[in-house]
Amino acid sequence: MTTGEKWVYMFDEGNKEMRDLLGGKGAGLAEMTRAGLPVPYGFKVTTRACIEYLETGTFPPGLREQILEALRRLEERVGKRFGDPTNPLLVSVRSGARASMPGMMDTVLNLGMNDEVAEGMVRLTNNPRFVYDAYRRFIMMFSDVVMGVHRERFEELFQEKKRELGVTQDVEVDAKSLKELVEEFKALYQREKGEPFPQEPLVQLFRAVEAVFRSWNNPRAVEYRRQNKIPHSWGTAVNVQMMVFGNMGNDSGTGVAFTRNPATGAKELYGEFLQNAQGEDVVAGIRTPMPIARMREVLPEVYEQFVRFAEQLERHYKDVQDLEFTVERGRLYMLQTRSGKRTAVAAFRIATDLVDEGIAEPHEALLTVDPHLFEQLLHPQFDLQEKAKHPLLATGVNASPGAAAGRVVFEADDAVKMAQEWGRVLLVRRQTEPDDIHGMAAAQGILTSIGGATSHAAVVARGMGKPCVAGCGALQIDYEKQQFTVEKDGKLILVRRGDYVSIDGTTGEVFLGDIPTVPSEVMQVVTGRMRPEESEIFQRVSRVLQWADEYRALGVRANADTPRDAMLARRFGAEGVGLCRTEHMFFGEERIPKFQRMILAETREEREAALADLQPFQQQDFEGILEAMDGLPVIIRLLDPPLHEFLPQTEEDIQNLSAKIGIPAERIREKVRALHEVNPMLGHRGCRLGITYPEIYRMQVRAIYEAAAALKKRGLNPVPEVMIPLVGIVQELEVLKEDLTQVAQEVLQREGVDLPIIMGTMIEVPRAALTADEIAQHAAFFSFGTNDLTQTTFGFSRDDAEGKFLDEYITKRILETNPFEVLDRRGVGELVKLGTQRGRQANPNLEVGICGEHGGEPLSVAFCHEADLDYVSCSPPRVPIARLAAAQAQIRQPRQRRRKSPHEAKGGLL
Ligand code: ADP
Ligand code: MG
Ligand code: MG
C-alpha cells in the first residue's frame, strides 16, 4: 500500500481516461462537469480505496482525512453545510464501478438528514411534505443498504399508512402522516438494531461509504459479474454528491432517458419521467412513469434543454447515452451519463446511423457494438401464421425484443428449478429486483405488470438479450395462488403456474399458449430463404462487418465438419476452415459398422480392407467441404479420439453389434476390454493412434488428396492442409509426416495433379509448446487446440472440472472466469505466446492460429490479436463475432502483422 496515496478526487478532477480508478459513473460525472453541464457538485473515492478496504476491513490510512477535506471543499463550493440546520447540505452516496452494473450495487439518497436538519429545512422551504418525504426515504435506504434492515419492512409501514388514509399513491400521503412515518421508521430501526437511528451526519457518511464498498460483494453483484465476465478484483468507486430534489412538487421530478431507442435503435429520445419523485422511484419501477415525450407538455423548457444536453453528450461520447436527471423546481440537473445497453438490432442500427449522421467514423462506430450481441440476431422469431392463431391476452411495453414462450412461473428460484424440469419457463413478476437475476437468466423471457422501458426487468433483459414485456398492467398477479388473471372482453382469463404463455418483446404482445418459432431474418438470408435486399437488419450488419474486415489484422476461419457447415461458414465470412474434424465422419449409419469392423480387425489386411470400404465416404465429405471453401485453406485434422469411443459399452449393445456385423460377441467384448483406458483424455489417441495404426491416417490422407485431385480436374482450386493432432514429441511428427507425404505424393502422381502438400500440427500439450522450435522445423503451420491445451496445462479434465468444482472455484475467486470459456492468459496464453515465438524463430513462414471455442470469444480473440497469431477459427455462427472482436482489438491496439488472405467477397454474404 502506498501511504500518501490520493484516494479522493473532486468532480472537476480527473478525466474519462481515469475510469478504472474513478469508476464509470465518476468519470461520466467529471466529464459532464467539465463540459459545463449542470451537475450537482461532489467528490469521488477511488476503486483502489475500495479494494484496500475489502482486503483489510478498514479504511486505508489517509482516506478519512481526505474525505473530510473534500467535504469541506464541497461545502465551500455550494455554500451549504453538512448537518447545519440553518443551511443544510444533503448528499447522495452512490456506487459506481468501472463497468456499468445497473442497479447491482447500492446508493443512499438524502444523507445528512436528522431531526434538527429536518426542522431547519421545513423553516427554509416551507414545504414539510417534501422534507419528511426525503427523511423517510433516507431512513429506509440507510437502514436497508448500510444496516441490513430490509426495505420491505419499511414499505409495509408505508403501505399501512396509505391504507389508513384511504389513498393509493405515494404523493397523496400528506406532510403530517409522513412526519409520523419518520417516527415509526426510527422506532423500527431502534427495535431492529438496538440503537437509535444515527443522527450524526459524519457517522452516516462514513458508514454509507463503507456500505457502498461492501456492496461490491453482495450476491447479486457477484452473480452479475460472473454472467458478464467482469473481474471481481476491480472494486467500486463511491460518489458523494450534493442532493438536488425531484420531490419538491409538480415542477420537480426525475427521469431516465436514452438518446436513442435501445430496443430498436430508432433515433428518438426514449425514456421516462416521473413528476414529484426521487430517482429511486423510476429505477426501481415502483411507480409507472410517463413517457419522456410527455415531459415536453408538462415542463417544455426543461424538456428542450434536456434534448440539447442529450445531443451534446451523444456527440461527445460518439455513442448512445443512458442519462439520469432530476428537475428541482424547474431547474434541470444531470446525474449520470453512460453508454446505453442495447439489443443487437439496435446496436447495428445505431452503429450505421452514427456514421451516416457524421457523429462517428467507422472505427469509432465499430467500438460501440458488443460482438456478443450478434448471437441475438440468430435467435428464432414467432411464426406469423401461428401467432395469428393464438389469443392475444394483453399488451405491455415492448421492453426487449424477441420471441419467447414457456410455462409460467412466479419466483426466480422456481424459474431456475422448473427450467430444469420443464425446459422452457417464462418468469412473470409484478416487477423484478436485482435479487431475481438468476431466475431471469434461467427463463426464456420476462413479463412484468409494473414498470416501464427503463425498469429493472427491461434493463436487465436487454442486457441478457432476453425478450421482455414490461408494465403489462392488465395482469392481476397473485403470488400466493401462483396465478394471474386478465380481464378480456368482460371475461376473466386465469393463467396458472405451469400454463404456457408466449410473449413478443418486439411488439409488447402477450399470448396464451405456446407459439412455435421460425428462424431469424439473418438466418433466413444466410440459408438462402430470404434475399439480402429484403432484410434491413441484414444489410446493416453486413456494412458493420465490412468495416470490421477493413480494420482487422487477424484472420477468421471456421470449424466445420460438413459441407453444409462449410458453406454456412463461408456465408458468415469465414476465410477458410481452421479445423475440420474427421471423427464425426465415421458416425453415419452406413459408416459406423465399417469403422467398427476396422477396429475389430485381427490382421492388418483385414483392417486395410475395412478402411478401403470407408475411404469413399471420407472422400465424398472432403470433396464437399473443399468445394464449399474453394480457393480458401481447409485444415483437416486426422483422427483424434480413442478408438473405444466407437465401440458399444453395454452387453446389450455388444450383442446387437455382433448380430449386425457378424463378429462373435466374445471378440467384441475382448476388444472393448483391451481398449479400455484409465484416463482416455491422456490415453491412446491423436497422433499416438497414427503411430500405432498408420493405415488409418494413410487412408484419410489418400481420401483428402483424391478429393482434391477430383476437384482440381473439375477446374476448382482446393487448398487442403493436413493436421496431425496431439503431437508432443517432434519425432511423432517427423515419422508421420514422412510416411503421409509419400502417400499424398503417390495419389497426386497417379492422378496427374499438381498440388502443394501442406502438413502441420496441433499444439495442445505443454511439451509441444515448449519444444515448438523443434516441431516447427517439420510443420507448415501450428494450430493451438486451446481446449485440450487448457486441460493439459491446468491438468483439468474439462467435463469433470465443469461438472464438479469449477463453479466453486469461481465463487471462491480462485479463478476469475472459466478457462474453457475465456482463454487463460496467464498460463495457457503464456504457452501460446512462447510456442508461437519459438516456432516462428525456427520457421519464419510458420502460420499460427487457434481453433476451438475460444476462437469465437471476444476476450480470447483480443488475446490472439495481441499474441500476433495469424487467425482464429470458431464455429460458423461465431465467425461474425470473431470478425468484430478482431477489428476492435486492432482499433484499440494496432499491430503490424496483417492477415494473409483478405476476406474474399466471393460467396461471403455477411
Ligand atoms: P444506480 O447505479 O443504481 O442507477 P445511482 O447512484 O445512479 O444508482 O442512483 C440512483 C438514482 O438516485 C439516480 O438515478 C438519481 O435519480 C438519484 N440520485 C442519485 N444522486 C442524486 C443526487 N445527488 N441528487 C438527486 N438525485 C440523486
Ligand atoms: Mg444510476
Ligand atoms: Mg484436441
Side-chain angles (χ1 to χ4, degrees), residues 246-428:
N247 52 340
M248 290 191 86
N250 279 339
D251 58 353
S252 304
T254 177
V256 182
F258 289 76
T259 55
R260 290 171 200 244
N261 187 318
T264 65
K267 186 172 162 57
E268 63 194 12
L269 264 192
Y270 178 92
E272 284 154 340
F273 181 67
L274 197 55
Q275 260 174 308
N276 198 9
Q278 275 201 315
E280 284 279 301
D281 299 346
V282 180
V283 186
I286 293 169
R287 285 163 57 194
T288 302
M290 61 172 82
I292 191 91
R294 279 208 33 221
M295 189 178 138
R296 170 183 267 154
E297 291 155 33
V298 293
L299 293 167
E301 277 162 34
V302 176
Y303 182 81
E304 292 310 323
Q305 195 185 16
F306 180 68
V307 169
R308 277 202 308 281
F309 290 162
E311 279 171 10
Q312 183 181 342
L313 286 166
E314 199 182 79
R315 283 191 180 273
H316 181 76
Y317 284 101
K318 299 175 192 292
D319 193 11
V320 174
Q321 296 297 297
D322 169 359
L323 305 169
E324 293 176 8
F325 64 96
T326 281
V327 183
E328 178 182 308
R329 316 247 309 258
R331 280 198 60 186
L332 174 63
Y333 292 93
M334 302 301 289
L335 291 174
Q336 190 168 332
T337 185
R338 64 180 169 212
S339 275
K341 295 222 184 302
R342 67 207 78 173
T343 63
V345 171
F348 286 96
R349 176 158 183 186
I350 289 165
T352 43
D353 280 352
L354 287 175
V355 171
D356 293 341
E357 291 167 27
I359 294 176
E361 298 287 323
H363 68 275
E364 294 159 335
L366 268 172
L367 292 180
T368 69
V369 181
D370 173 356
H372 282 294
L373 287 177
F374 179 79
E375 261 183 342
Q376 273 181 36
L377 297 177
L378 306 179
H379 291 170
Q381 305 163 342
F382 284 137
D383 179 330
L384 289 181
Q385 279 172 356
E386 289 290 334
K387 184 166 154 180
K389 291 184 206 155
H390 285 75
L392 179 69
L393 265 185
T395 306
V397 177
N398 54 342
S400 178
R407 298 172 74 165
V408 166
V409 291
F410 294 91
E411 315 286 340
D413 290 340
D414 201 29
V416 173
K417 187 166 140 243
M418 298 321 287
Q420 299 272 335
E421 201 172 316
W422 291 339
R424 288 173 300 137
V425 299
L426 199 74
L427 181 63
V428 181

Side-chain angles (χ1 to χ4, degrees), residues 551 553 865 887-898:
Y551 285 101
H865 168 87
Q888 293 182 344
Q890 173 73 0
I891 293 165
R892 294 198 174 111
Q893 203 175 323
R895 71 174 208 195
Q896 286 296 314
R897 180 185 289 271
R898 312 285 297 198

